[in-house]
């Protein structure tokens, strides 16, 4: 059971000796889009981390990372969200999120906003929370040191490397290393994988025609693979790509990498 808490306390469950996450207090930063639209992803993250021995917590104070308002230039209005993030997550060993995009905002935008405010104390706090905040795949590979999490998913998939994960926090091969060790699964390379899907937060609203064209290109490349599922580390991108694929009646489903990694043969 996951602990809903304001600070590290009693473990979510007793970790078996020898598991890579034993002794770590890990807070899940669910992010807005997952909280509202994709709760199954948060459940998958929790299940996976607990299976690996982590003490998983869900701080009640957490809110938005402030990426959308910051990207739109509302720096002052974003400060409350930065302070809320610090308050919610400062006392944990690590903060893990199923979103390279939101983690990029925490690590890139939060320090910039704190510096603009000129609050030395907040700058120190933000430096700490930025350091301990990781995308799920970073945490698994870099902290726990695992690429085989015991997952089973008997389907054909293709992987889309989301822009913020690829370009800002530089996830590199971590997602691929984790996926290639999933039992029963076939992974097919995605043509022009490095191209953006066209979501880009407010970009898809302000530049609708360009965004729609980019999403159509991405969906076409996904269909070319013959995969049953398109996988990514950001549900915002999957919402965009999956929406096009659904309207085309392609039969291809969108799924977050956490949901694959959490799945086992027993499931």
């Amino acid at each position: 059971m996951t602990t809903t808490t304001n600070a590290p306390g009693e473990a979510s469950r007793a970790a078996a000796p020898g598991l890579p996450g034993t002794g770590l207090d890990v807070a899940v930063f669910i992010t807005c889009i997952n909280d509202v639209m994709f709760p199954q992803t948060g459940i998958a993250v929790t299940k996976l981390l607990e299976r690996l021995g982590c003490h998983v917590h869900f701080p009640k104070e957490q809110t938005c990372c402030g990426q959308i308002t910051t990207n739109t230039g509302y720096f002052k209005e974003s400060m409350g969200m930065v302070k809320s993030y610090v308050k919610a997550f400062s006392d944990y060993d690590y903060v893990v999120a199923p979103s390279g995009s939101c983690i990029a905002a925490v690590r890139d935008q939060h320090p910039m906003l704190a510096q603009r405010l000129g609050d030395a104390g907040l700058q120190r706090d933000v430096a700490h929370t930025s350091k301990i905040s990781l995308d799920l795949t970073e945490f698994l590979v870099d902290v726990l040191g695992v690429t085989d999490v015991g997952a089973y998913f008997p389907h054909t998939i293709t992987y889309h490397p989301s822009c913020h994960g690829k370009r800002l926090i530089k996830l590199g091969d971590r997602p691929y290393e984790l996926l290639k060790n999933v039992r029963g699964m076939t992974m097919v390379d995605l043509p022009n994988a490095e191209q953006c899907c066209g979501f880009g937060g407010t970009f898809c609203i302000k530049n609708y025609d360009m965004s729609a064209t980019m999403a159509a290109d991405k969906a076409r490349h996904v269909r070319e693979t013959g995969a049953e599922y398109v996988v990514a580390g950001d549900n915002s991108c999957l919402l965009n790509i999956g929406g096009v694929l659904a309207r085309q009646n392609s039969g291809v489903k969108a799924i977050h990498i956490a949901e694959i990694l959490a799945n086992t043969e027993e499931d």
Side-chain angles (χ1 to χ4, degrees), residues 45-162:
V45 171
T46 300
K47 176 184 175 182
L48 175 60
L49 295 178
E50 289 186 336
R51 191 169 80 221
L52 295 172
C54 299
H55 302 163
V56 182
H57 304 266
F58 187 85
K60 293 183 290 185
E61 301 95 340
Q62 64 177 289
T63 59
C64 177
C65 67
Q67 179 180 173
I68 293 178
T69 51
T70 304
N71 286 348
T72 313
Y74 293 102
F75 294 168
K76 180 180 178 181
E77 290 79 1
S78 302
M79 287 309 309
M81 287 174 275
V82 175
K83 294 176 181 178
S84 176
Y85 191 91
V86 166
K87 179 181 178 182
F89 294 114
S90 289
D91 294 329
Y92 295 94
D93 295 323
Y94 292 97
V95 183
V96 175
S99 171
S101 178
C102 293
I103 288 297
V106 170
R107 298 212 304 236
D108 182 56
Q109 294 180 342
H110 284 196
M112 177 272 291
L113 291 168
Q115 184 177 20
R116 286 180 64 92
L117 187 65
D119 184 330
L122 181 62
Q123 289 180 54
R124 287 192 298 270
D125 292 340
V126 164
H128 172 65
T129 51
S130 298
K131 182 179 179 180
I132 65 172
S133 296
L134 300 173
D135 174 77
L136 174 65
T137 61
E138 284 183 304
F139 179 74
L140 295 174
V141 176
D142 297 351
V143 178
L144 298 191
V146 296
T147 54
D148 186 343
V149 298
Y152 174 76
F153 195 73
H155 301 281
T156 302
I157 68 102
T158 192
Y159 179 77
H160 164 66
S162 304

